[in-house]
Amino acid sequence: QLQLQESGPGLVKPSQTLSLTCAVSGGSISSGGDFWTWIRQHPGKGLEWIGYIYYSGSISYNPALKSRLTISVDTSKNQFSLRLTSVTAADTAVYYCARDAYDSRHSFDYWGHGILVTVSS
Amino acid sequence: QSVLTQPPSVSAAPGQKVTISCSGRNSNIGKNYVSWYQQLPGTGPRLLIYENKKRPSGIPDRFSGSKSGTSAILGISGLQTGDEADYYCAARDDTMNPEWVFGGGTKLIVL
């Protein structure tokens, strides 16, 4: 059973960089056919797709975040990461990592539990 | 404002059936698969329906999905109090702006 687990600081100061990591267990991030994805949910709001990375390093970003966003992958550690610069209060959200089963179920079939990140001084 | 349109809330009594609609455009629902997610209070989303109408293992057949043109529907029959949750639809979007779009979510209230 694939499991994803987000980690990182729960509090980030405005204008600083938000960094999160998603550890994948129960399967290999390099197995192919899947896009490793970040999704966020603002408090009391709906879901927003942030972007994904393939194990080879190919990426796709939400244009609304692209200028501040970097998603990277470390296949040796079986994990992928998100880096969002120049954060503001509008970046306060629960951040989820998920698997986009591009080659099979065409959906987000595994999710992490999510991590609340608050942007505040 | 979400790209896919869902009703903010629906309600029904235990044992009854409810449907949740999801409306989009040709670039997303019209040309791509729709998936549905359940988010119970205080938890992360869980995949309910993929490829418009398929259920992952462990999802009871009380949950069903369908798609026609640029709209999709999630059906939940034999409602239980434990079904009270937020439900989201999602689809890829060929405009890639962004690549994945979600509905705003529908809160199911089991009376």
Side-chain angles (χ1 to χ4, degrees):
Chain A
Q1 179 83 347
L2 196 71
Q3 292 187 327
L4 290 80
Q5 179 67 58
E6 306 89 349
S7 63
L11 181 63
V12 181
K13 289 182 167 50
S15 79
Q16 294 193 341
T17 297
L18 182 164
S19 295
L20 298 174
T21 295
C22 179
V24 179
S25 58
S28 173
I29 207 167
S30 303
S31 58
D34 304 313
F35 294 144
W36 302 96
T37 301
W38 289 99
I39 292 165
R40 70 181 181 180
Q41 185 171 33
H42 294 102
K45 302 295 184 183
L47 301 166
E48 178 183 28
W49 180 81
I50 296 172
Y52 65 62
I53 190 164
Y54 193 55
Y55 78 95
S56 63
S58 298
I59 54 174
S60 180
Y61 292 163
N62 187 324
L65 299 169
K66 188 174 183 178
S67 64
R68 300 190 291 129
L69 180 63
T70 302
I71 298 177
S72 57
V73 64
D74 187 338
T75 54
S76 66
K77 294 183 178 179
N78 217 39
Q79 64 185 35
F80 61 106
S81 300
L82 172 148
R83 195 166 170 272
L84 188 65
T85 62
S86 304
V87 297
T88 69
D91 295 309
T92 293
V94 176
Y95 287 76
Y96 296 98
C97 57
R99 184 178 82 165
D100 172 356
Y102 176 76
D103 260 2
S104 53
R105 294 177 173 175
H106 305 95
S107 59
F108 304 108
D109 59 352
Y110 291 95
W111 295 68
H113 292 297
I115 183 169
L116 173 62
V117 178
T118 301
V119 178
S120 175
S121 55
Chain B
Q1 188 168 347
S2 302
V3 175
L4 304 182
T5 301
Q6 297 181 236
S9 66
V10 295
S11 61
Q16 292 190 330
K17 178 176 181 176
V18 70
T19 60
I20 298 173
S21 61
C22 175
S23 177
R25 299 176 179 178
N26 192 51
S27 62
N28 41 63
I29 293 179
K31 290 186 175 181
N32 295 287
Y33 289 116
V34 175
S35 50
W36 289 91
Y37 304 86
Q38 178 193 58
Q39 187 172 32
L40 296 167
T43 70
R46 173 177 75 147
L47 178 65
L48 271 186
I49 298 288
Y50 67 98
E51 293 181 359
N52 304 329
K53 60 182 181 180
K54 297 179 181 178
R55 285 175 288 106
S57 60
I59 301 300
D61 60 6
R62 300 187 298 107
F63 295 90
S64 62
S66 64
K67 184 184 104 168
S68 179
T70 59
S71 295
I73 293 176
L74 172 70
I76 310 172
S77 61
L79 275 175
Q80 302 174 0
T81 54
D83 295 331
E84 196 160 281
D86 293 323
Y87 293 84
Y88 294 91
C89 59
R92 288 189 187 278
D93 195 310
D94 287 356
T95 66
M96 306 286 281
N97 188 26
E99 186 167 333
W100 272 95
V101 290
F102 289 93
T106 298
K107 183 170 184 58
L108 169 62
I109 300 167
V110 181
L111 302 167

